[in-house]
Amino acid sequence: MATENTDVLDRAREQVLERGIGLDEAGVLEILRLPDERVTEALELAHEVRMRWCGPEVEVEGIVSLKTGGCPEDCHFCSQSGLFSSPVRSVWLDIPSLVEAAKQTAATGASEFCIVAAVRGPDAKLMSQMREGVKAIKEAVDINVAASLGMLSQEQVDELVEMGVHRYNHNLETCRTYFPNVVTTHSWEERWGTLKMVRDSGMEVCCGGIIGMGETLEQRAEFAVQLAELDPHEVPLNFLNPRPGTPFGDQPTMDPKDALRAIAAFRLALPKTILRYAGGREITLGDLGTRDGLLGGVNAVIVGNYLTTLGRPASADLQLLQELKMPVKALSATL
Amino acid sequence: MTDPVSLAVCPRCGRPLDGPAAHDACRAALELEPPRFCGDCGRRMKVQVVPTGWTATCVEHGIQTS
Ligand code: SF4
Ligand SMILES: [Zn+2]
Ligand SMILES: [Zn+2]
């Protein structure tokens, strides 16, 4: 390769910042291996890339669990699997409470509300709750509705489009080669299949995963370029929050510097994607981490609580956005 | 929430508070987690988290909210 001797950040400046072309796997790996003293430089470049190709707006989203726990799958990080001795019990949210959660999310200025269910894929009951719930939200609240309901059939994809679900989240969770260490009850390829159907339907694709589950740096780089190949509208980036009772319950949280390297690396692989701070940022990076990420390539946040754990109060994130002079993306800009 | 001093059971791990287990890590974790076990009887509660709060229900001891 002719670029062998050039510095990866110089190369990224020319290729990613100037031309909007993401780094390849080798380049991403170089970012993930940068020494501590160059992490700030990488984050600054990632921030420039984000400002250049995405702009200063930050997309704010709230998420809620419509059906919690009791999932038949065995994703080793997940407290909602019914196969582990996790303390999370199965529970359904009723429709009035779902609408109330959407209202409260909208009140923060968020443009996105994502309805999530802990399932392999939707059954008739879940689809009917979705139909009723999405309709009730649309009648009561001005907010984009997204969903995350596991693997879908073509028929279910079509139904969600018809309900007015504008974006569908389905995480690949990790790279293809590490996936069998994380999930054994379904395959990476099955997830990819759902993502392809979603993309072909015209819904926006939201697809990310969890970093710090024991994957190697090579596999982390592999994951970033596999996401780039999918080219999703949004990539939610989670950091492992080890949950009691799960197979990954005793894993350490990620080293904060590694988490920041990952943020810069994913932005440099995905210059034009909405890169969202999702779960685990508080426990991995603390309060200051949110600022570092937003100045290092991240341009979207989940505000308030997550599905089974709690987050920073929405007001803390909104105040930070004000301080950073980053406007919250308005609903009208996303419709 | 119930006054922690009066609890018999750790709301995070479900073990007795006067037993041999230390619960410092549990207390710290509860900053970013809702309780999962009823502090009175140790039953696993039904917990619903929403963006702005949570509700936890014990069949015997009723509802707690954030
Ligand atoms: S499919 Fe989703 S809810 Fe079920 S175990 Fe995996 S991550 Fe958890
Ligand atoms: Zn405890
Ligand atoms: Zn009780």
Side-chain angles (χ1 to χ4, degrees), chain B residues 11 25 34 40:
Chain B
D40 291 326

Side-chain angles (χ1 to χ4, degrees), chain A residues 259-277:
Chain A
L260 293 173
R261 280 183 189 87
I263 290 169
F266 275 64
R267 171 53 77 200
L268 295 176
L270 297 148
K272 298 174 183 173
T273 305
I274 297 171
L275 187 61
R276 188 179 307 277
Y277 243 147

